[in-house]
Amino acid sequence: MDRASAARALLRWYVDAGVDEAVADGPVDRFRRAAENTSLATSGHSAPARSAPPPVTVIAPAAQPSADEAASAAARLAAGCNSHEELAAAVASFDGCPLKAGARNTVFSDGAPGARLLIIGEAPGRDEDAVGKPFVGRAGQLLDKMLAAIGRSRASDTLISNVVYWRPPGNRAPTQAEIAVCRPFVERLIELTNPAAIMLAGGVPMQALLGVTGIMRARGAWRDLTLASGAQFPALPVFHPAFLLRQPAQKRLAWADLQTLAARLRDA
Ligand code: URA
């Protein structure tokens, strides 16, 4: 294999393994360093003079507030927002969630502000991070089809968001602390939207907002979502569309849950 093909094969292997982010400003030639170390170790001689290694930019982490301090700052900021636009701007300006440092874009919401249906998912993935909108990848396309099946769309009558607004590295699940820091914004979004129904897409938003675990058992049953203000909203946990892509046999149950949701929206 020539060097270019070998490099392409290595990059393909990285992408398949989920490595899709560069973490420094420039490449580090670790092979050259390893070779130098090996020759030093085997020669028994002291290090020969050599030119200085290329500069590596070390980005000192900015001092981060504690999760409690960041959540308090988020709560103050969210409380001062009186419209969807103000809240979107406040989230974009907020630096208290450490996920932001590794993300390309803030991913706040997409769809119709003030919609009667609010969908809350887990976290932006790679596609959402690149575009700056929630649910635009394969799972998002399935979500759009699910909405179309009950005569709804993000273009007209549905608002979509997540429990965190920045992509967790490698698409890992957001931590409890990251969710807690973003929560005041999630709650303010619910208050400002004042939806007739909230669909919780997957176990992560279900646990974050209802304190309930076990999506297999909890899906399809309405629960009250209670905000810090005491306000309550009807919330329906459903399977996450990414789960349905992996387990298409579960679409039968997802269809039943969509009918439950549609009935509530008709009656409300
Ligand atoms: N999955 C989510 O939970 N949210 C998104 O925005 C995209 C995928």
Side-chain angles (χ1 to χ4, degrees), residues 94-231:
F94 182 66
D95 290 328
C97 179
L99 289 175
K100 189 176 188 181
R104 288 197 174 87
N105 277 302
T106 297
V107 178
F108 179 53
S109 74
D110 192 27
R116 291 174 69 244
L117 172 59
L118 173 61
I119 298 176
I120 303 182
E122 180 176 325
R126 185 168 52 162
D127 295 327
E128 290 75 23
D129 183 44
V131 173
K133 287 185 181 173
F135 282 102
V136 293
R138 281 184 68 226
Q141 287 156 20
L142 177 56
L143 181 62
D144 286 339
K145 286 186 192 156
M146 291 163 69
L147 289 174
I150 55 168
R152 306 192 77 86
S153 78
R154 64 174 99 194
S156 58
D157 54 15
T158 301
L159 184 65
I160 304 178
S161 190
N162 284 306
V163 289
V164 299
Y165 305 117
W166 298 275
R167 179 195 183 195
N171 292 346
R172 65 160 169 77
T175 65
Q176 296 301 315
E178 290 155 359
I179 291 172
V181 166
C182 294
R183 185 176 179 121
F185 296 120
V186 177
E187 294 212 2
R188 193 72 187 123
L189 178 67
I190 295 172
E191 286 170 348
L192 291 170
T193 308
N194 193 22
I198 299 174
M199 175 174 136
L200 298 173
V204 170
M206 179 182 78
Q207 180 169 10
L209 296 171
L210 298 177
V212 169
T213 55
I215 187 74
M216 300 306 284
R217 264 180 295 109
R219 53 141 280 279
W222 290 101
R223 305 215 178 212
D224 286 335
L225 193 166
T226 307
L227 305 183
S229 65

Side-chain angles (χ1 to χ4, degrees), residues 36-58:
E36 286 169 355
N37 289 343
T38 309
S39 68
L40 283 181
T42 53
S43 67
H45 297 299
S46 55
R50 60 173 194 258
S51 57
V56 174
T57 308
V58 177

Side-chain angles (χ1 to χ4, degrees), residues 23-28 56-57:
V23 294
D25 284 351
V28 178
V56 174
T57 308

